Amino acid sequence: MDLNMYDLTPPTRQSRLPLFFVILAVFWLSVALCGVVALGYMTILRPAPVQSTQVRTPPSAMPVAFQATPQPLVIVQPPPEGIDYESAVLRNLYEQNNRSVVNITVWMEHPALSSGSLLPQAQPDQGSLLPLVNGSGFVWDVQGHIVTNAHVVEEGRRFQVTFYDGAVAIGEVVGRDPDSDLAVIKIDPEGYELAPVKLGDMDEVFVGMRVAAIGNPFGLQGTLTSGIVSALGRTIPSTRGSYSIPDSIQTDAAINPGNSGGPLFNERGEVIGVNAQIRSEVRANSGVGFAIPVAIVERVVPSLIEKGYYDHSYMGISGMTFSPICGDEQGLDKDRRGVLVNEVMRGTPAARAGLRGADRAIRTAFPGVCPSGTGGDFIVAVDGRPLSTFDDLLVYLARYTSPGDTITLTVERQGRTLEIPLTLAARPR
């Protein structure tokens, strides 16, 4: 066998060198490839750098609970300059509603002028009239109806309406209701920028709610004051002393002479009441003001516009809230709540329905709190709604009934419980 066919001689140093470089190149190539792969995984797993303080999650990636829960409604967004929330609310409220509020100047006859005395305010074309009363009001609709207080326009002969931009109109009273202290003035709407207010919901008003009033205290037009709802369900006297206005709003927003008839707003800029009275020894703000509730306003004003008057529901009783200290005298359990009927007026719906007042006089140990008579009906509910106070009955009649409606009174009489239907009439004028 020819051994030259197979070269069995070990390779020389020069022949092994290229193979070494090939192996070394393959090794470093593998290392580089592994580094690239590892770097890629690190890039994928590492969080992306945060571009802002708030990371927005795509809606599709949000947990179901967050998708189902709506974000709270922001009523007023703070302006770019970053003022506080309350200031933003009040500024927004004022800018939206100031144009809806008017100044009302009432011209009245003055005895001195009528007798021939000369005063510098009198003008030949005004005769014996002087601008003696100043109040507020607000635009109800684009037909030119302005809402104010009945006591503002009382005994007036000329009614001057001044808008936020200084435009003046002369109006006439088309309706007045002393029992709710509301009135409507009508102007010719042509040429005026009329911005009607929005009405709120009385059921949404609560103690502690932020409120604001816009009006003309002491004749200072377009004045904004703010505060909170201090109390609800106040009963305030009307301009007719024999009746009162139930369900009124008490507020600590500054109310002064000249604010009468102006609107009380909630945070959304909706009218929840008409500012009417203050309680003060000096006829200036003492932090106790009262507004006629929107629940009454929205019932009375349309009737004043349509008919010139409003008919309040009327039962024809006088009564008192039952207090536990009256229990022994009245023969009632002290844990009961309701209305004690003192007197039923003759010829009234209550008399026709068969309600009974007290039938014998007693000497009460608690005058002013307990009635001076006993034996009268004890009303515990109206149309299935329990009554705790006499005001509860007045509020129900004012909010939910009209003359001609039939209500059902739940009455306790001599140990029996009776359901008595009663058809309401219009309150005597």
Side-chain angles (χ1 to χ4, degrees):
M1 185 175 64
D2 187 357
L3 296 179
N4 291 329
M5 293 178 60
Y6 302 96
D7 186 4
L8 300 179
T9 306
T12 63
R13 183 181 184 86
Q14 291 181 351
S15 64
R16 291 197 301 268
L17 189 59
L19 180 62
F20 171 78
F21 282 112
V22 170
I23 295 173
L24 184 63
V26 171
F27 171 79
W28 286 113
L29 182 62
S30 300
V31 171
L33 181 61
C34 291
V36 170
V37 173
L39 182 61
Y41 275 104
M42 291 177 63
T43 303
I44 294 173
L45 297 176
R46 185 178 59 191
V50 178
Q51 300 298 325
S52 65
T53 58
Q54 182 177 2
V55 180
R56 296 184 180 274
T57 306
S60 60
M62 283 188 177
V64 174
F66 289 111
Q67 294 184 41
T69 305
Q71 294 296 320
L73 176 64
V74 177
I75 299 173
V76 177
Q77 201 78 357
E81 58 265 32
I83 64 175
D84 63 277
Y85 172 78
E86 184 173 2
S87 297
V89 169
L90 292 175
R91 186 171 84 169
N92 183 72
L93 186 152
Y94 187 81
E95 290 176 349
Q96 288 185 0
N97 292 286
N98 184 45
R99 59 180 182 158
S100 302
V101 183
V102 300
N103 182 18
I104 297 176
T105 304
V106 181
W107 295 68
M108 305 172 67
E109 292 183 357
H110 194 282
L113 290 180
S114 301
S115 63
S117 300
L118 295 179
L119 295 178
Q121 296 94 332
Q123 301 295 328
D125 61 336
Q126 294 174 346
S128 60
L129 298 182
L130 279 180
L132 298 180
V133 174
N134 178 262
S136 303
F138 55 90
V139 177
W140 181 263
D141 56 31
V142 295
Q143 283 74 44
H145 294 107
I146 309 294
V147 175
T148 187
N149 282 145
H151 75 262
V152 169
V153 300
E154 188 176 13
E155 298 182 3
R157 294 294 180 267
R158 182 184 182 191
F159 307 98
Q160 177 179 312
V161 177
T162 305
F163 291 85
Y164 78 105
D165 57 359
V168 175
I170 301 299
E172 62 174 347
V173 175
V174 296
R176 181 172 172 270
D177 179 42
D179 288 347
S180 64
D181 198 12
L182 292 172
V184 175
I185 296 174
K186 175 71 165 61
I187 67 167
D188 181 354
E190 185 176 358
Y192 294 93
E193 180 187 357
L194 299 180
V197 298
K198 299 182 293 292
L199 298 182
D201 186 347
M202 192 63 195
D203 290 332
E204 296 179 356
V205 180
F206 56 88
V207 175
M209 171 185 278
R210 297 175 188 264
V211 293
I214 302 179
N216 311 287
F218 304 109
L220 300 172
Q221 187 164 346
T223 297
L224 171 72
T225 55
S226 67
I228 62 170
V229 172
S230 303
L232 293 172
R234 298 300 194 200
T235 298
I236 60 177
S238 67
T239 56
R240 283 208 298 171
S242 54
Y243 297 103
S244 56
I245 306 172
D247 206 20
S248 297
I249 301 169
Q250 180 182 330
T251 178
D252 68 349
I255 306 295
N256 288 290
N259 275 112
S260 293
L264 185 69
F265 295 101
N266 62 18
E267 278 192 337
R268 295 194 291 266
E270 299 166 336
V271 174
I272 60 170
V274 177
N275 301 313
Q277 299 179 14
I278 59 174
R279 182 158 296 178
S280 174
E281 299 298 327
V282 293
R283 295 194 74 246
N285 175 57
S286 61
V288 182
F290 300 98
I292 302 161
V294 66
I296 292 180
V297 175
E298 62 188 357
R299 292 176 66 90
V300 173
V301 169
S303 179
L304 295 182
I305 293 173
E306 180 184 356
K307 301 185 296 185
Y309 61 90
Y310 178 76
D311 283 326
H312 295 262
S313 296
Y314 179 67
M315 287 179 54
I317 66 170
S318 65
M320 296 182 69
T321 299
F322 172 72
S323 297
I325 59 174
C326 309
D328 293 337
E329 297 175 352
Q330 296 296 322
L332 295 170
D333 293 337
K334 295 185 177 181
D335 60 351
R336 303 307 308 276
R337 294 293 180 268
V339 175
L340 292 168
V341 179
N342 293 336
E343 183 182 1
V344 176
M345 287 67 170
R346 292 181 180 179
T348 64
R352 289 190 289 270
L355 284 183
R356 298 180 184 178
D359 56 9
R360 61 186 182 275
I362 60 173
R363 183 182 296 274
T364 176
F366 310 101
V369 177
C370 299
S372 58
T374 186
D377 286 337
F378 184 46
I379 306 175
V380 297
V382 54
D383 287 340
R385 299 191 181 200
L387 299 176
S388 293
T389 67
F390 190 75
D391 282 350
D392 290 344
L393 179 59
L394 297 179
V395 169
Y396 184 84
L397 294 178
R399 278 202 193 189
Y400 306 113
T401 70
S402 299
D405 292 346
T406 298
I407 60 175
T408 300
L409 301 175
T410 304
V411 173
E412 294 185 2
R413 177 189 297 168
Q414 298 176 350
R416 296 180 300 160
T417 299
L418 307 175
E419 299 290 332
I420 299 179
L422 185 151
T423 301
L424 300 166
R427 181 184 294 173
R429 297 202 188 99

